[in-house]
């Protein structure tokens, strides 16, 4: 076991704010913790003398508030147990990296990157605690997948003089060679390789290749037929990565049911975009769709705006913080890797969680030790991960949502997106036509390669089960990436130092180099030149590792010295690992030997197209019958208390949405700070143009009617963006399909229906898809609290994100009522279509203990809605809208409450004025009919407003009141809701007040 | 009037360099974004500038404490240059992480002079949560700060996890007595926040949001004036606009934070 030379412990002289936070958290979980002390520890494995060690320690304290000890244990008085949490070997330790750099700078020396410094934190607990309790506390404080824990009682801590000097140095002894893999095997043996991985000499397997028999046969035939040899392990692993569901979207590409030979991506998603662009003709604003790391649309005569939304679901289930931070920092690279490198100007997020108040455990296998993280820990970790990734990177994170359903308990969904800004011309050349040229150097910049994320791409193509590999878990390092991003976007790009650039994401070098080689032909790589975190990696691991914060760049010889020099001056490691060639083969060498030599056409296009059949039958269960509730006041407040409706201000305020100074319409709106549905940024500070961002999703509709689910998601994404001042003629959308159990024909049938809906409604609104992603196996197989076997599949979830250009941000509007006396209008028709709505979920839970999941899902009459949207646009242009909110989850009632709370003003409304095809007040209040908005208008503008909306169904619902009360009169003239704004606010903000 | 030249520091996770330079330029200065490695390599370049700006960001990821690692970098490499710089008739402005860096190198409040030792600290917010929100600030009358001249109240945002100002008892009273507190968090309208969240967003002692040195030429502040330079950056602009329209008044283009930058430029006028 390796030990450090020095152990520096830093602790607060006065009060460490973390103490109280930790104590409160633990007492909240039921632990009898009286007090907590904390020390931050740095284990330094460097040959320093005593004076130098003291000087290093002084670097690490803030002397006004902290003290340090070198090689002497911090021993706060009267603690019962000390718990030290550090990282496992090989897990990214960002703090340690900073400390190493500081030591290097102080002493002007160079240290080993991975073996010199390690960080840890020790918690000292006092209180009446039993040994098993302290173990449980430890479990709350760390995640054994990435961290190690050491527990000592007070006595043992004194006896052993503290926590000791052990350091988590990586020690691996992989086979340094590429092994051949015999493929002349019986079918079941071949399939075992696909399912469990390549066998190692000791009989263990390396982890799933996630290939089906069809693909294994194609590989078998290629090697034994064409190449007349067996593949090496690196070749086989590489093909599996390239062909994975994650990278090739095999289900979206598959021939479906005989009548969709091109597959649903080509037939429904891409075809919609092709047709819209054709129909728009001159007005087509798409610049780059479905080709690059992001999709791009025109912003103005000088700039392009890019957008991409990714998911990072499986890693976030295992390590929520690491999964989420890696996700957000990873999708940032989809902007940096767009065209010649776009500057990230905004992040998006969207989290689908189970009820965080649900304390029933799930287990991966039949033992207590395999307990999954609780929904609350997953939620807190994910929220924090995007906080750390987005804030640290200096990218504003304005736009996002939370969505709750019990079926996200096995796998949360973590959507992360990044909007980028790219000049149209870079060095006089179109910024989107990048091309690696034969002879260009293959340069890898950013972090080093470790065993992180091996099998990440294939892993996310499989359901989460006890075999899920722990190496799939990583922790992002936003500062390493920030350095890289600045060096590329602010300097190298505009100096024309490279021909092409792409992200190293899923599949690592194996995918990025092969992808870029498509631009020129082939490549030759020497793996010995790839910088490693630690020795001992097998060649296939180096080639496939998904170690983060890396990009691959094609640099011509005549710019190479400049490029490497610039990177070095910016603290970015850059290594030439090979060359792009004009040939047709990809060649990888290791130790002077060729270990990978593949025909690029086979690698990219050799994947046999799947044929899949679907089975779909529309659900026709009638809407559940139940009487109209007598106490609508209670229902009104109960709806506000729903997890899907309550304020998530705690997320909005911890995500910096003001950095880059581009914020215009913010996530929290009005004096009452209510979450809006859309945000606007101004990415170019001397232009009045803006970018509007929003999204729509209705996973609760999917099981009833996936076609309408897609329609509603598109309408909502668009309408939300229009509600703050967006322009339907300059709006694009992105699709993220997160599906489940995608070998099941019924699930695939739902998928087909949803994709058909995407086609029809993208076309109906003229909003092209510019980018998309899918994640098809969001299922959990394991055990419930009684160790009964369970499979939990997420509800099929389609996230539609909208992005649009706003011509003049000064015309934008927020959701808050502004002045007493303003008139309140509802635009659109309210239908008796509550299937899948929040209201039916609530009503069902109240009546039968389970959500109602039948009835009719709202329809989308796009042509009619467009008339409203055009009128809305004109009203915005004339500046006569005083507040605007799109009616979303929770319906009209929730929209009224939000505008009132945001404006801190009351409202009186009469449901008789609503154009509705039902007489039930509860349905009118909470139906989620699409195409509707709630607007307020100054009485002075009434005539003009009504003239603009004369051909559109509108209802003058009431007026804004000074007195802070929400008063709603029912269809039959009776007051049905009369509630003080205070109690609504208390409900709205109370749900997550302890988060 | 000759345009003052502003050096806006960049690199290692500083991330508000672009908008800070934009704000200085809009106020009439020439601003260059300079990577700290280039400055260390070519130290004398600092002599060409009249204003030195430490922008906001997450230098070194806040690892081991916000601003600390960048402060170490400066202490190890640039102390003589900084001393020479402030001995001239120059200005220095640190915002958010820049303020944290300045506190850690002891260049403010510098009640005992610029010794290189921190005299105060910006600790974790009392909520132990990153807070991105708009705040109200009152400028101290007796503050010598050049940057806050003519300003009484400001409405601009904060965005930080470690902005909780702390100084040991005697030092705090010395800072107060010397008039080195330049801005405090207040309630809308100007009543003292008295530590109350969210008006005081981080739990700072005496609601301190900003301090300067005795000359008033060197100031650090947690809130971000560059994020409050345009009217449309304000969190309440749609509401104010609605009022102004109804009153038949013009809608402004600038917002409170901009004056911090124009004051800097005016100083050289």
């Amino acid at each position: 076991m390796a030990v450090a030379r020095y152990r520096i412990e830093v602790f607060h002289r006065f009060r460490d704010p973390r103490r109280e936070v930790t104590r409160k958290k633990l007492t909240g979980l039921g632990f009898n913790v009286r007090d907590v002390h904390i020390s931050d520890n740095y284990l330094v494995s460097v040959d320093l003398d005593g004076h130098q060690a003291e000087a290093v320690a002084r670097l690490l304290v803030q002397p006004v508030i902290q003290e340090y000890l070198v090689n002497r244990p911090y021993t706060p008085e009267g603690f019962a147990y000390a718990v030290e949490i550090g990282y496992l070997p090989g897990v990214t330790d960002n703090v340690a990296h900073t400390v190493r750099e500081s030591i290097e700078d102080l002493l002007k020396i160079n240290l080993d990157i991975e073996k010199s410094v390690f960080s840890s934190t020790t918690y000292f607990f006092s209180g009446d605690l039993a040994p098993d309790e302290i173990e449980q506390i430890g479990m709350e404080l760390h995640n054994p997948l990435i961290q190690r824990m050491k527990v000592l009682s007070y006595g043992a801590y004194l006896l052993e003089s503290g926590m000791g000097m052990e350091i988590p140095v990586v020690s691996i002894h992989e086979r340094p060679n590429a092994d051949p893999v015999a493929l002349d095997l019986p079918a079941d043996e071949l399939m075992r390789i696909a399912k469990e991985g390549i066998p190692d000499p000791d009989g263990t397997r390396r982890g799933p290749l996630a290939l089906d028999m069809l693909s294994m046969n194609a590989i078998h035939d290629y090697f034994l037929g064409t190449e007349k040899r067996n593949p090496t392990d690196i070749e086989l692993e590489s093909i599996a990565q390239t062909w994975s569901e994650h990278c090739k979207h095999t289900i979206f590409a598959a021939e479906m049911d005989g009548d969709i030979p091109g597959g649903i991506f080509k037939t429904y998603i891409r075809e919609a975009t092709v047709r819209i662009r054709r129909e728009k003709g001159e007005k087509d604003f798409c610049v780059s769709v479905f080709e690059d790391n992001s999709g791009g649309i025109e912003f103005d005569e000088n700039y392009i705006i890019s957008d991409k939304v990714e998911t990072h679901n499986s890693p976030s289930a295992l390590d929520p913080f690491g999964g989420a931070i890696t996700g957000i920092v990873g999708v940032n690279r989809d902007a940096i890797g767009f065209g010649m490198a776009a500057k990230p100007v905004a992040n998006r997020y969207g989290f689908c969680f189970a009820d965080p108040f649900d304390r029933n455990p799930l287990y991966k296998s039949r033992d207590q030790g395999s307990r999954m993280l609780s929904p609350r820990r997953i939620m807190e970790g994910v929220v924090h991960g995007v906080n750390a990734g987005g804030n640290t990177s200096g990218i504003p994170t304005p736009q996002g949502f939370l969505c709750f359903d019990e079926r996200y308990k096995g796998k949360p969904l973590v959507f992360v997106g990044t909007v980028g800004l790219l000049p149209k011309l870079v060095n006089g050349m179109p910024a989107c036509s990048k091309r690696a040229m034969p002879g260009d150097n293959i340069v890898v910049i950013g972090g080093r390669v470790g065993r992180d994320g091996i099998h990440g791409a294939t892993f996310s193509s499989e359901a989460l089960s006890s075999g899920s590999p722990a190496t799939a878990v990583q922790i992002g390092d936003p500062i390493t990436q920030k350095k890289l991003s600045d060096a590329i976007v602010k300097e190298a790009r505009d100096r024309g130092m490279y021909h092409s650039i792409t992200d190293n994401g899923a599949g690592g070098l194996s995918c990025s180099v092969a992808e870029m080689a498509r631009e020129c032909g082939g490549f030759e790589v020497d793996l010995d030149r790839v910088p490693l975190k630690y020795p001992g990696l097998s060649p296939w691991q180096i080639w496939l590792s998904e170690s983060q914060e890396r990009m691959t760049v094609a640099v011509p010889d005549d710019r190479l010295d400049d490029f490497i020099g610039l990177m070095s001056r910016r603290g970015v490691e850059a290594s030439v690992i090979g060359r792009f060639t004009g040939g047709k083969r990809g060649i990888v060498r290791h130790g002077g030997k060729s270990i990978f030599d593949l025909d690029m056409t086979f690698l990219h296009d050799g994947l046999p197209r799947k044929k899949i059949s679907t089975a779909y039958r529309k659900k026709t269960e009638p809407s559940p019958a139940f009487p109209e509730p007598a106490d609508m006041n209670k229902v009104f407040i109960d709806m506000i208390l729903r997890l899907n409706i309550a304020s998530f201000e705690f997320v909005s305020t911890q995500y910096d949405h003001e950095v880059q100074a581009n914020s215009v319409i913010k996530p929290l709106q009005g004096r009452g700070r209510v979450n809006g549905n859309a945000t606007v940024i101004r990415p170019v500070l001397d232009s009045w143009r803006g970018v509007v961002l929003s999204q729509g999703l209705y996973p609760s509709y999917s099981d009833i009617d996936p076609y309408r689910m897609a329609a509603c998601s598109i309408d909502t994404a668009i309408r939300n963006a229009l509600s703050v001042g967006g322009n339907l003629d300059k709006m694009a959308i992105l699709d993220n399909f997160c599906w489940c159990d995608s070998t099941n024909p019924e699930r695939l049938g739902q998928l087909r229906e949803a994709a058909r809906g995407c086609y029809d409604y993208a076309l109906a609104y003229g909003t092209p898809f510019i980018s998309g992603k899918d994640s098809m196996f969001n299922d959990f197989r394991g055990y419930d609290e009684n160790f009964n076997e369970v499979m939990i599949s997420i509800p099929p979830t389609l996230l539609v994100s909208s992005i649009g250009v706003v011509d003049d941000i000064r015309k934008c509007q927020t959701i808050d009522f502004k002045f007493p006396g303003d008139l309140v209008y509802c635009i659109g028709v309210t239908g008796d279509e509550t299937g899948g709505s929040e209201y039916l979920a609530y009503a069902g839970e109240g009546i039968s203990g389970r959500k109602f999941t039948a009835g009719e899902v709202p329809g989308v009459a796009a042509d009619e809605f467009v008339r409203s949207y055009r009128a809305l646009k004109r009203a915005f242009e004339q500046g006569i809208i005083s507040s605007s909110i799109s009616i979303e989850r929770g319906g009209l009632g929730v929209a009224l409450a939000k505008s009132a709370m945001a404006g801190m003003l009351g409202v009186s409304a009469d449901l008789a004025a609503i154009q509705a095809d039902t007489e039930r007040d509860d349905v009118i209040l909470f139906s989620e009919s699409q195409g509707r908005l709630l607007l307020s208008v100054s009485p002075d503008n009434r005539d003009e407003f009504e003239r603009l909306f004369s051909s559109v169904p509108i209802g003058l619902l009431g007026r804004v009141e000074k007195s802070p009360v929400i008063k709603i009169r029912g269809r039959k003239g009776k007051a049905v809701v009369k509630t003080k704004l205070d109690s609504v606010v208390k409900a709205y903000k109370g749900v997550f007040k302890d988060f | 009037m000759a345009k003052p030249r502003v050096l806006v520091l960049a690199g290692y996770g500083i991330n508000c360099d672009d908008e800070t330079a934009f704000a200085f330029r809009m106020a009439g200065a020439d601003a260059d974004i300079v990577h700290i490695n280039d400055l260390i390599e070519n130290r004398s370049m600092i002599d060409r500038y009249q204003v030195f700006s430490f922008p906001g960001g997450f230098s070194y990821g806040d690892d081991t404490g916000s601003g600390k690692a960048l402060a170490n970098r400066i202490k190890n490499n640039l102390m003589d240059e900084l001393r020479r710089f402030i001995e001239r008739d120059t200005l220095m402005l640190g915002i958010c992480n820049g303020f944290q860096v300045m506190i850690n190198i002891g260049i403010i409040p510098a009640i005992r002079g610029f010794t290189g030792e921190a005299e105060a600290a910006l600790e974790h917010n009392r909520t132990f949560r990153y807070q991105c929100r708009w705040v109200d600030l009152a400028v101290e009358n007796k503050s010598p700060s050049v940057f806050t001249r003519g300003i009484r109240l400001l409405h601009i945002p904060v965005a930080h996890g470690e902005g909780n100002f702390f100084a040991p008892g005697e030092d705090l009273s010395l800072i107060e007595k010397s008039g080195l507190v330049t801005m405090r968090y207040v309630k809308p309208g100007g009543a003292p926040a008295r530590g109350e969240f969210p008006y005081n967003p981080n739990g700072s002692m005496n609601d301190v949001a900003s301090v300067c040195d005795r000359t008033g030429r060197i100031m650090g502040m947690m809130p971000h004036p560059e994020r409050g330079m345009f009217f449309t950056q304000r969190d309440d602009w749609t509401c104010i606009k609605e009022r102004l329209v109804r009153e038949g008044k013009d809608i402004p283009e600038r917002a409170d934070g901009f004056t911090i930058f124009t004051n800097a430029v005016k100083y050289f006028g």
Side-chain angles (χ1 to χ4, degrees), chain A residues 860-886:
Chain A
V860 175
D863 293 350
E864 276 173 41
F865 294 177
V866 165
R867 277 204 298 280
S868 300
Y869 301 164
R870 300 273 176 217
L872 180 73
K873 176 81 184 352
R874 284 191 293 275
F876 264 110
E877 276 163 8
Q878 296 192 20
I880 59 170
I881 307 279
S882 295
S883 78
S884 167
I885 184 170
S886 56

Side-chain angles (χ1 to χ4, degrees), chain A residues 504-630:
Chain A
N504 263 298
L509 289 173
S510 77
C511 287
S512 72
V513 173
E515 270 305 309
M516 284 172 86
R518 299 183 91 151
E519 297 163 8
C520 60
F523 64 83
E524 289 181 23
V525 164
D526 185 353
L527 283 186
D528 299 312
R529 297 165 76 177
V530 177
L532 304 180
K533 291 184 182 178
Y534 33 77
L537 293 180
S538 303
W540 73 272
Q541 293 176 325
I542 300 171
W543 188 231
L544 267 71
S545 163
E546 294 180 6
S547 287
Q548 296 286 302
E549 295 86 37
R550 292 182 299 149
M551 300 200 67
T552 304
V553 190
V555 183
D557 276 341
D558 61 350
R559 300 312 307 269
L560 188 64
D561 288 348
D562 287 349
F563 183 79
I564 301 280
L566 173 67
M567 292 300 133
S568 146
R569 285 197 306 283
R570 298 299 171 250
V572 178
E573 190 159 357
S575 313
V576 181
I577 63 162
R579 268 187 204 281
F580 290 108
T581 67
K584 289 185 170 49
R585 295 188 77 89
I587 295 163
V588 179
R589 294 195 183 85
H590 184 253
K593 263 176 35 194
S594 166
I595 56 170
F596 173 116
D597 187 345
L598 291 181
D599 177 1
M600 294 293 286
T601 315
F602 173 73
L603 181 64
H604 287 303
D605 307 321
L607 169 66
R609 289 251 329 278
K610 273 194 205 178
K611 285 185 190 170
I612 50 183
S613 333
T614 72
Y616 176 69
R617 227 183 47 231
K618 189 167 185 254
K619 267 199 180 178
T620 49
E621 277 175 66
S623 197
F626 63 96
E628 198 165 342

Side-chain angles (χ1 to χ4, degrees), chain A residues 814-955:
Chain A
T814 47
I815 65 171
D816 47 320
F817 289 144
K818 307 284 189 308
F819 283 94
D822 279 5
L823 308 175
V824 178
Y825 288 90
C826 179
I827 312 300
V829 177
T830 303
D832 187 0
E833 40 187 10
T834 51
S837 68
E838 195 64 30
Y839 180 58
L840 278 207
Y842 159 75
E845 283 170 12
I847 292 165
S848 68
R850 290 179 66 97
K851 290 175 181 171
F852 288 144
T853 52
E856 191 160 355
V857 168
V860 175
D863 293 350
E864 276 173 41
F865 294 177
V866 165
R867 277 204 298 280
S868 300
Y869 301 164
R870 300 273 176 217
L872 180 73
K873 176 81 184 352
R874 284 191 293 275
F876 264 110
E877 276 163 8
Q878 296 192 20
I880 59 170
I881 307 279
S882 295
S883 78
S884 167
I885 184 170
S886 56
I887 299 176
E888 245 220 28
R889 196 78 181 156
L892 175 67
V894 168
L896 273 169
K898 284 187 174 178
S899 286
M901 287 190 287
M904 296 172 84
L905 289 166
V907 63
S908 54
D910 186 347
L911 299 186
I914 294 284
Q915 303 221 14
D917 56 13
T918 168
E919 292 303 314
R920 276 182 69 146
D921 293 328
D922 58 341
V923 173
I924 294 176
L925 273 176
F926 303 117
S927 160
E928 291 166 7
S929 288
Q930 299 293 306
R932 297 179 306 155
L933 297 120
L934 184 78
L935 309 175
S936 70
V937 175
S938 160
D940 292 346
N941 294 323
R942 176 176 183 164
D943 292 346
E944 184 58 17
F945 178 84
E946 291 186 357
R947 193 184 63 77
L948 285 177
F949 284 85
S950 55
S951 65
V952 169
I954 61 169

